[in-house]
């Protein structure tokens, strides 16, 4: 089945009991048992809910993996992954990543005894950071907010040589454009709040994993900790997924047009988009992705908080807000907004400077978006 067909049909057969074409919304906390312990596979909705189960199976198929798990948020999903490790275990992560992930590592898990090292985005740096107690590599690609790419196959080769598991946050590319499990990753993380949900109307997270033992540990944690999405949010995610392929295509088309426009603009000093043939990641993007995604970052000449605010105020369609991946275009000032939780020194080292702006390109008309940007930049 091709991806465009999968998003609509994977794990989503018509309901057996009613014929309902759309997966029913099972708003129930509990399930009747015929006899003690005899039931139809569901006992209590923290443990399992039929709507959530369809979502989890669908996510696994979309990522070409064996097992899917849905969570109340991307952070809850990430929390479950690190919770499968023990105090003293070492994780090597790419430095340029979601600010909340950095905060989770440094402020939640480091005090519990887990060890973290941060490297750049070159595969070789991961090899150099390996220690005897290294259990996980954690990467994002494209990264947030500088849209850098990491060579997934190269990092996966290093991981395998050293018997380390590779975790990949696939929020930005989505399985539409990138299939990390087929390139050697062991586990995929999503903030389903973003492109998976796709409509800026929910918070959700997901994991897809191949190894059954690891899945069982994660499933145990999902049930024991209870950070599950409700049935309605699960249903909304399934609804969002139906248009994932077609949305991603439009996000990417619009993003390329906008990146090309920004690259030629006199007040823009730099544009970060792997789909530009001037990008240092253009070749790698063509090797490991089937589309360049909808995220574009750029720097304003002599930009700072004040000039950024002046620019944001003049925008009429594009909205200043955190988050990304929805159908509407959102713009963000990473240094204070999404990445404000990273200490300044480290932020500067990564390149999240005060002239940086991140744009989540929506699926509006590209010409309207360019007019909006053009008017606000003048
Ligand atoms: C938003 C985001 C997260 C966190 O997910 P939530 O759903 O907000 O908890 C993790 N990784 C990336 C890349 C994100 O963009």
């Amino acid at each position: 089945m091709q991806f465009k067909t999968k998003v609509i049909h994977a794990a989503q057969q018509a309901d057996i009991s009613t014929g309902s074409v759309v997966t029913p919304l099972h708003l129930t906390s509990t399930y009747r048992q015929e006899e003690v312990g005899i039931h139809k596979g569901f006992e209590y909705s923290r443990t399992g809910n039929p709507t959530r189960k369809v979502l989890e199976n669908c996510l696994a198929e979309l990522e070409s993996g064996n097992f899917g798990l849905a969570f109340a948020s991307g952070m809850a999903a990430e929390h479950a992954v690190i919770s499968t490790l023990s105090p003293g275990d070492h994780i090597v992560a790419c430095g340029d990543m979601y600010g909340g992930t950095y905060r989770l590592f440094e402020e939640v898990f480091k005090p519990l005894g887990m060890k973290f090292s941060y490297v750049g985005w070159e595969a070789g740096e991961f090899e150099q950071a390996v220690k005897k107690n290294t259990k996980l590599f954690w990467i994002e690609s494209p990264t947030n907010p500088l849209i850098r790419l990491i060579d997934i196959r190269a990092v996966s080769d290093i991981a395998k040589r050293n018997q380390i598991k590779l975790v990949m946050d696939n929020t930005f590319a989505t399985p539409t454009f990138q299939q990390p499990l087929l390139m050697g990753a062991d586990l995929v993380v999503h903030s389903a709040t973003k492109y998976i949900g796709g409509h800026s109307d929910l918070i959700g997270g997901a994991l897809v994993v191949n190894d059954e033992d690891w899945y069982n540990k994660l499933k145990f944690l999902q049930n024991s900790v209870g950070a599950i999405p409700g049935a309605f949010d699960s249903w909304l995610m399934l609804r969002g997924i139906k248009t994932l392929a077609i949305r991603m295509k439009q996000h990417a088309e619009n993003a390329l047009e906008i990146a090309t426009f920004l690259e030629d603009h006199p007040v823009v000093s730099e544009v970060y988009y792997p789909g530009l043939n001037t990008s240092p990641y253009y070749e790698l993007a063509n090797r490991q992705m089937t589309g360049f995604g909808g995220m574009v970052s750029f720097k304003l000449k002599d930009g700072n908080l004040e000039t950024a605010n002046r620019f944001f105020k003049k925008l009429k369609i594009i909205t200043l807000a955190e988050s990304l991946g929805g159908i509407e275009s959102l713009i963000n000032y990473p240094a204070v907004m999404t990445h404000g939780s990273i200490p300044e020194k480290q932020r500067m080292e990564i390149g999240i400077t005060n002239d940086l702006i991140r744009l989540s390109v929506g699926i509006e008309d590209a010409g309207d978006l360019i007019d909006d940007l053009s008017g606000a930049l003048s």
Side-chain angles (χ1 to χ4, degrees):
M1 220 191 275
Q2 296 300 309
F3 192 81
K4 272 192 200 161
T5 311
K6 271 195 191 175
V7 289
I8 293 163
H9 295 290
Q12 300 173 76
Q13 296 81 6
D15 183 53
I16 301 166
S17 57
T18 62
S20 168
V21 168
V22 174
T23 301
L25 170 51
H26 291 276
L27 289 171
T28 186
S29 61
T30 190
Y31 305 83
R32 181 177 164 269
Q33 307 200 357
E34 295 292 328
E35 276 174 43
V36 176
I38 307 294
H39 51 72
K40 295 184 186 314
F42 297 95
E43 306 169 309
Y44 187 60
S45 276
R46 171 161 37 71
T47 317
N49 170 284
T51 310
R52 191 176 95 216
K53 191 71 209 154
V54 172
L55 170 66
E56 294 179 329
N57 291 343
C58 175
L59 288 163
E61 283 199 45
L62 296 187
E63 285 287 2
S64 308
N66 293 338
F67 306 102
L69 288 164
F71 285 84
S73 67
M75 295 319 302
E78 295 187 4
H79 184 272
V81 175
I82 305 299
S83 298
T84 62
L85 302 183
S86 305
D89 285 350
H90 178 237
I91 294 115
V92 182
C94 63
D96 182 10
M97 65 180 182
Y98 181 67
T101 305
Y102 179 77
R103 183 174 58 197
L104 178 76
F105 289 178
E106 287 297 298
E107 294 182 39
V108 178
F109 284 108
K110 206 166 167 183
L112 297 177
M114 278 73 159
K115 313 280 180 203
F116 297 91
S117 298
Y118 302 95
V119 296
W121 29 92
E122 295 294 334
E125 295 178 64
F126 284 79
E127 182 113 65
Q128 281 158 20
V130 171
K131 298 180 186 172
K132 272 216 300 289
N133 55 340
T134 307
K135 293 287 160 63
L136 275 191
F137 285 165
W138 187 289
I139 60 172
E140 278 181 32
S141 182
T143 64
N144 180 14
L146 283 152
I147 329 292
R148 291 173 172 127
L149 263 58
I150 293 181
D151 189 329
I152 301 169
R153 283 190 189 85
V155 176
S156 150
D157 287 347
I158 297 165
K160 288 199 167 41
R161 264 207 308 284
N162 293 281
Q163 290 173 319
I164 292 165
K165 298 260 192 237
L166 174 60
V167 174
M168 164 102 211
D169 184 331
N170 203 26
T171 299
F172 270 39
T174 83
T176 319
F177 289 151
Q178 183 167 276
Q179 301 257 320
L181 297 176
L182 299 181
M183 290 186 271
D186 298 287
L187 187 148
V188 167
V189 180
H190 274 282
S191 169
T193 311
K194 316 295 166 51
Y195 290 107
I196 298 276
H199 296 73
S200 307
D201 52 7
L202 62 86
I203 301 286
L207 300 177
V208 179
V209 61
N210 279 335
D211 181 75
E212 191 162 7
D213 287 342
W214 205 4
Y215 166 72
N216 285 331
K217 277 189 199 165
L218 292 162
K219 170 91 189 128
F220 170 81
L221 283 165
Q222 184 199 41
N223 183 43
S224 302
V225 178
I228 48 142
F232 186 58
D233 281 358
S234 301
W235 187 89
L236 276 177
M237 285 184 239
L238 275 170
R239 183 186 170 116
I241 285 170
K242 301 253 184 204
T243 54
L244 179 64
I246 194 164
R247 278 189 283 112
M248 290 315 293
K249 182 167 178 274
Q250 196 60 50
H251 282 299
E253 264 178 46
N254 286 3
L256 182 58
E257 273 194 57
I258 286 171
T260 307
F261 159 78
L262 288 171
E263 201 176 30
D264 290 335
H265 200 285
V267 309
V268 174
S269 58
E270 222 145 341
V271 181
Y272 305 93
Y273 187 65
L276 292 171
N277 57 20
T278 49
S279 160
Y281 299 109
Y282 184 70
E283 188 269 329
L284 178 57
N286 277 294
R287 229 182 321 134
Q288 69 183 19
M289 302 174 78
T290 54
F292 303 113
M295 297 302 297
V296 177
S297 290
F298 57 99
K299 288 184 175 171
L300 293 179
K301 270 185 197 150
D302 304 316
N304 54 38
L305 181 56
E306 204 180 311
T307 50
N309 263 325
R310 222 177 305 137
F311 162 61
F312 295 145
K313 280 210 178 99
K314 287 203 231 164
L315 290 166
K316 295 192 172 74
I317 297 171
I318 301 168
T319 306
L320 177 65
E322 303 227 3
S323 202
L324 61 105
I327 57 299
E328 68 291 282
S329 295
L330 299 179
I331 205 155
N332 155 49
Y333 187 69
V336 176
M337 294 169 69
T338 46
H339 292 69
S341 57
I342 302 178
E344 183 170 359
K345 183 172 166 286
Q346 179 151 5
R347 239 192 316 110
M348 292 302 160
E349 277 168 21
I350 300 167
I352 308 173
T353 45
N354 294 331
D355 51 357
L356 181 69
I357 288 168
R358 188 190 79 182
L359 177 61
S360 171
V361 179
I363 60 170
E364 301 98 333
D365 180 77
D368 284 342
L369 296 176
I370 287 171
D371 286 349
D372 201 24
L373 289 167
S374 176
L377 285 171
S378 63

